[in-house]
Amino acid sequence: MSTVLLEHLTRDDLAAMAADTTVVVPLGSTEQHGPHLPVCTDTAIVSEIAQRAATEAAAAASAVVAPTLPFGFAHHHLPFGGTVSLGMVTYLEVLTDIGASLHASGFRRVLFLNGHGGNDAAVRAVGDRLLYERGLDLHVAGTSYWTCAADELAALDLAVDGPVPGHAGGFETSCLLAIAPGQVRLERRPPPEGAPRPLAELATTTATIRRPDIWHASAGCSDDSADADPEVGAVALQAISSAVARLIVGFHHSSTSPTPTRHGRNGS
């Protein structure tokens, strides 16, 4: 079964399916990815994952994929150029309005699938905004693809010398080589470096750490891309997509039970 894209359907199509369908909302970014990758890298990768996952999940759950949001919180990339960023508060409001709009169209299950590190905090918060501040009757899930597929990625032992997903390094370059090799400027890749870049070192910590100028110290990339390989990208994308497909199915079926009766009603 092919992936169902929300943008290809009419209002009547959507009204008929909304009550029993999970909407997957892919979240990308438009930002610099070093000298060799296009600024659509995060958007391209998460779009591919969302569509593959929805297609895989289709046998067990009705899912539709919304258009990928190509802008996110990427202020840390602005000094490099080639970046369009929304402020954090603005971005959270955008996600909240997207969820509220889908609710107004009759959908009751929304899964935000993130593909850019800067969006992660807002993705974790949007469900609280929609349910507890807006008071909507809506089931909301939010995750970044690398979080959803953390176990699968760890088990693969990918042949890239850097963090996963990192930024404009071996992992992302491998994924884009598998998706759109014509968009990768291999001849422009930075020369290999002997020591890990500061961004790669931060990726190994268990805390969320922010330091001034760390992106400049890393030249806007987390690690080398010299070992990038399209086969590595293909294997990773398949593993991630299957993990997300399992999430879609589990989330869809966990949110089919009736809404619990509120305390104080019906004799409770």
Side-chain angles (χ1 to χ4, degrees), residues 115-172:
H116 166 58
N119 299 341
D120 194 73
V123 170
R124 293 173 183 270
V126 65
D128 289 333
R129 294 292 308 282
L130 287 163
L131 271 70
Y132 306 126
E133 291 190 8
R134 295 284 185 95
L136 299 182
D137 178 17
L138 189 65
H139 296 263
V140 181
T143 188
S144 296
Y145 71 74
W146 54 87
T147 301
C148 180
D151 291 342
E152 289 78 4
L153 288 169
L156 288 177
D157 190 22
L158 296 172
V160 292
D161 187 19
V164 175
H167 184 79
F171 178 82
E172 287 192 324

Side-chain angles (χ1 to χ4, degrees), residues 4 38 68 71 75 85 116 121 127-128 144 154 182 211 222:
V4 177
T68 303
F71 305 116
H75 273 43
S85 179
H116 166 58
D128 289 333
S144 296
R211 292 176 180 163
S222 64

Side-chain angles (χ1 to χ4, degrees), residues 28-32 39 69-92 94 116-119:
S29 185
T30 299
E31 65 190 40
Q32 70 84 26
V39 299
L69 182 63
F71 305 116
F73 176 70
H75 273 43
H76 43 297
H77 293 291
L78 287 172
F80 294 96
T83 299
V84 180
S85 179
L86 302 175
M88 179 62 78
V89 174
T90 300
Y91 183 63
L92 181 54
V94 168
H116 166 58
N119 299 341

Side-chain angles (χ1 to χ4, degrees), residues 163 199-206:
L199 278 173
E201 293 177 348
L202 279 190
T204 63
T205 65
T206 56

Side-chain angles (χ1 to χ4, degrees), residues 12-80:
D12 293 338
D13 296 332
L14 294 169
M17 70 189 301
D20 298 314
T21 296
T22 292
V23 184
V24 180
V25 184
L27 306 173
S29 185
T30 299
E31 65 190 40
Q32 70 84 26
H33 269 76
H36 65 295
L37 293 180
V39 299
C40 70
T41 293
D42 288 348
T43 301
I45 292 174
V46 77
S47 298
E48 181 76 12
I49 292 168
Q51 293 187 28
R52 289 190 187 192
T55 300
E56 187 172 332
S62 175
V64 62
V65 180
T68 303
L69 182 63
F71 305 116
F73 176 70
H75 273 43
H76 43 297
H77 293 291
L78 287 172
F80 294 96

